[in-house]
Amino acid sequence: MSTEAVENRRHKVVVIGSGFGGLFGTKHLKRADVDVTLISKTSTHLFQPLLYQVATGILSVGEIAPATRLVLRKQRNAQVLLGDVVDIDLQNKTVTSNLLNQATVTPFDSLIVATGAQQSYFGNDQFATYAPGMKTIDDALELRGRILGAFEGAELATTQEMRDRLLTFVVIGAGPTGVELAGQIAELADRTLEGTFRNIDPRDARVILVEGAGAVLGPMGPKLGGQAQRKLEKMGVEIQLNAMVTDVDAHGVTVKDSDGTIRRIESSTKVWSAGVQGSPLGKMLAERSEGTQVDRAGRVIVEPDLTIKGHPNVFVVGDLMSVPDVPGMAQGAIQGATYAAKAINAGLKGARPEDRKPFKYFNKGSMATISRFNAVCQVGKLEFGGFLAWLAWLGLHLYYLVGYRSRLITVIQWFVSFLGRTRGQMAATEQWVFARLALEQVNSDEEEADELAAALGAPPGNGRAPGRATAERQVG
């Protein structure tokens, strides 16, 4: 390429991840004199805060996960590539992604890494087989299949022991996701499924919320945490605090209490919401950037301008960045991505990296739903709960849903679910429950994996089939 061509070509921005950080970073570069390439291993923009409503039959996948290509269709300077990023070369400024064993190398001048976080099992990844997390569409659909399948199995159970195990649901982790999920499983059993079976009463289901710490919704403080706990207990949810899960298997969980007592909870359906860890790309960036480190959760400890040491053109935003007092929430990702986009745009106009003002996070508060008509909300020093907090929760989540169609249909689904007894998304299949395990089995045999990839139109490669569930799975 000639010197003149290099000087005249547009600045290339690569964005990795299609979550809040990736999407908002891309959209804020809409009017910039750049070409943006968004690379993601998923074809949708996932609104993670509402995944639990997919898992419990309130919303469909389409409402919370619009296709990224459709969202960005009118942004002429943006291109979307589907692929799993496997390499970031900071020296040559390239990103390598794989799709169906085919590698694509994309050059960049500026890079925004927004691959988010994945479920953390604190070194016990084998737990995932029996207790899926709540980070992806696959997780939510698998859990829906497990929940509804448990009731169906209980209807056919031949012993009381089997029936009790099937009707016991264990949620591990009492953060916002755990609280919301436990509340919705309880409402599903008590309202939606009431009177629909003949051999069992769904209201006999046990919903157990297990938390290793001493409080529900600990980061939100004792007032709101206590309010959430009392409401859940009134709904029949059993809350077990200071209880550490030490083992998970097909038939239940093993729990160690604060006094050292070890006990069993027999349960067929478990869900893990106890922790998160950064995408493996965070570790890769740290290893390739001298002086950059990751924290205990695998998040990148970034510079004040959200870049990594020695590379002022590489930004890390969202759940993958480690910044004091910035929680792993959508607002942190949105504000970080907006900051990065503005910094890139300013650089095109001559601003120097050393003159950038440090990123400042504006805390807009946090909230969690407990049940229909009931939520808790924290905005600055203001703390409140109940119906008003629930309305605030509805309004905020509607605002951040992408697309007017999604908002309209979501309102209708909420109206049907919360004012009535039915839920519009009660379909579940065995494939949702077992597909992940089947893919793992297929990928254990490289020859079978290559055959599957070839059947889907890809050349044989390294034995990696599409959708492979690996320990290094990224959320983006």
Side-chain angles (χ1 to χ4, degrees):
M1 184 181 292
S2 66
T3 303
E4 182 180 356
V6 172
E7 292 178 351
N8 291 335
R9 74 172 178 82
R10 297 234 292 182
H11 189 92
K12 294 183 179 296
V13 180
V14 170
V15 179
I16 307 176
S18 60
F20 284 107
L23 185 66
F24 276 79
T26 301
K27 293 179 73 172
H28 274 85
L29 290 168
K30 181 177 182 178
R31 293 179 175 81
D33 188 24
V34 298
D35 290 320
V36 185
T37 301
L38 186 151
I39 306 174
S40 176
K41 68 176 302 179
T42 65
S43 62
T44 61
H45 164 66
L46 177 61
F47 192 81
Q48 273 191 5
L50 290 178
L51 265 179
Y52 78 95
Q53 292 198 3
V54 173
T56 53
I58 297 174
L59 296 178
S60 70
V61 170
E63 272 68 80
I64 71 165
T68 309
R69 291 186 181 279
L70 296 182
V71 175
L72 297 175
R73 176 166 50 189
K74 295 182 179 180
Q75 185 168 334
R76 306 309 301 174
N77 69 338
Q79 177 188 18
V80 177
L81 296 181
L82 187 63
D84 185 8
V85 173
V86 295
D87 185 66
I88 299 175
D89 188 334
L90 298 178
Q91 301 305 318
N92 294 316
K93 296 184 179 180
T94 61
V95 172
T96 302
S97 57
N98 280 349
L99 178 64
L100 295 176
N101 297 324
Q102 180 176 344
T104 300
V105 179
T106 307
F108 67 85
D109 297 304
S110 295
L111 177 65
I112 299 176
V113 184
T115 48
Q118 59 192 25
Q119 206 70 58
S120 173
Y121 290 88
F122 307 108
N124 298 291
D125 291 343
Q126 71 275 12
F127 291 177
T129 299
Y130 310 107
M134 190 53 59
K135 287 294 180 183
T136 68
I137 293 172
D138 290 333
D139 290 338
L141 293 178
E142 179 180 350
L143 185 58
R144 188 200 297 178
R146 291 189 181 213
I147 293 172
L148 298 180
F151 286 103
E152 297 294 342
E155 175 79 352
L156 300 174
T158 56
T159 66
Q160 188 61 43
E161 180 184 6
M162 183 187 300
R163 184 176 295 114
D164 290 343
R165 184 173 67 247
L166 286 164
L167 290 180
T168 299
F169 303 87
V170 177
V171 180
I172 304 164
T177 299
V179 166
E180 291 168 342
L181 192 54
Q184 282 305 317
I185 294 175
E187 287 199 336
L188 178 68
D190 290 343
R191 287 179 54 82
T192 305
L193 297 179
E194 182 188 6
T196 59
F197 293 90
R198 298 299 174 259
N199 295 329
I200 62 169
D201 185 346
R203 293 174 298 180
D204 292 337
R206 293 178 65 197
V207 182
I208 304 174
L209 182 60
V210 180
E211 169 58 45
V216 173
L217 296 177
M220 297 185 73
K223 177 182 176 181
L224 296 182
Q227 184 174 339
Q229 180 174 343
R230 289 189 295 273
K231 177 59 179 177
L232 286 172
E233 290 175 337
K234 187 176 180 180
M235 296 170 62
V237 177
E238 302 174 32
I239 298 177
Q240 301 181 6
L241 303 177
N242 297 307
M244 297 292 296
V245 172
T246 60
D247 194 20
V248 182
D249 57 41
H251 297 299
V253 300
T254 302
V255 177
K256 183 178 181 180
D257 292 318
S258 56
D259 61 1
T261 302
I262 297 178
R263 55 190 173 84
R264 280 281 293 181
I265 303 175
E266 296 297 319
S267 168
S268 293
T269 304
K270 290 82 60 180
V271 58
W272 190 276
S273 62
V276 296
Q277 63 185 17
S279 156
L281 287 185
K283 183 179 179 181
M284 179 189 293
L285 287 172
E287 291 174 345
R288 299 182 180 185
S289 169
E290 185 176 352
T292 299
Q293 297 180 336
V294 295
D295 63 14
R296 294 178 60 184
R299 297 172 299 185
V300 180
I301 301 175
V302 294
E303 298 296 284
D305 63 352
L306 305 186
T307 63
I308 58 177
K309 291 183 182 296
H311 298 275
N313 62 324
V314 178
F315 298 84
V316 180
V317 303
D319 290 350
L320 190 58
M321 71 179 184
S322 179
V323 178
D325 301 321
V326 179
M329 298 169 57
Q331 272 302 317
I334 293 171
Q335 293 181 35
T338 302
Y339 172 92
K342 289 181 178 179
I344 291 171
N345 205 16
L348 297 176
K349 300 176 182 178
R352 300 181 305 172
E354 54 267 29
D355 294 332
R356 293 172 185 164
K357 294 182 179 180
F359 169 71
K360 288 186 178 181
Y361 173 69
F362 177 66
N363 189 352
K364 297 183 178 181
S366 56
M367 54 183 63
T369 56
I370 306 167
S371 63
R372 66 192 191 104
F373 309 145
N374 201 300
V376 290
C377 184
Q378 183 181 58
V379 181
K381 295 182 178 180
L382 178 63
E383 298 179 343
F384 61 101
F387 184 70
L388 183 61
W390 185 73
L391 290 178
W393 182 94
L394 293 180
L396 181 67
H397 284 71
L398 275 179
Y399 177 79
Y400 282 111
L401 273 177
V402 174
Y404 292 108
R405 177 189 175 279
S406 294
R407 293 171 186 163
L408 176 61
I409 295 178
T410 297
V411 168
I412 295 173
Q413 296 281 27
W414 281 348
F415 183 86
V416 171
S417 299
F418 296 142
L419 296 184
R421 289 180 175 270
T422 188
R423 299 190 178 197
Q425 303 298 324
M426 297 293 286
T429 71
E430 283 186 296
Q431 287 191 33
W432 292 356
V433 178
F434 298 112
R436 175 171 53 86
L437 300 178
L439 282 171
E440 289 176 354
Q441 185 174 358
V442 167
N443 280 280
S444 67
D445 187 304
E446 290 191 4
E447 184 177 347
E448 287 188 38
D450 282 337
E451 289 179 0
L452 178 58
L456 294 172
N462 57 3
R464 181 184 176 114
R468 180 179 182 181
T470 60
E472 58 270 6
R473 179 174 62 177
Q474 299 162 15
V475 177

